[in-house]
Amino acid sequence: MENNRLICKACGSDSFTKGEIGRQSGHATIRPLGAIFSLGSPLIYTFCKNCGEVASIKVENPKKFK
């Protein structure tokens, strides 16, 4: 997705940015099922700067799930 130019499916804009959930404690992270004590991994969102439509959600550290 990085090499292709994104076009927002909701508003047609081509202006996107990235944000994350889960970098600091107390915020949501994704973690393996049943792993209550796992710190998990932050989620990286790519979204339209114009309307906020999310184009991509990526797990920052997928190796934590192997």
Side-chain angles (χ1 to χ4, degrees):
M1 186 173 355
E2 294 293 322
N3 295 332
N4 297 330
R5 183 155 200 125
L6 293 173
I7 303 295
C8 179
K9 64 181 179 181
C11 74
S13 173
D14 65 354
S15 183
F16 284 79
T17 192
K18 292 184 179 187
E20 66 184 0
I21 294 177
R23 181 63 62 186
Q24 300 172 359
S25 63
H27 292 271
T29 58
I30 189 166
R31 60 180 192 245
L33 289 173
I36 297 169
F37 298 108
S38 172
L39 296 176
S41 177
L43 296 172
I44 307 298
Y45 286 73
T46 302
F47 59 94
C48 177
K49 289 171 75 173
N50 185 54
C51 73
E53 179 76 15
V54 175
S56 170
I57 303 170
K58 182 176 180 178
V59 175
E60 184 176 72
N61 299 312
K63 291 182 180 184
K64 290 188 174 193
F65 296 82
K66 294 181 181 180

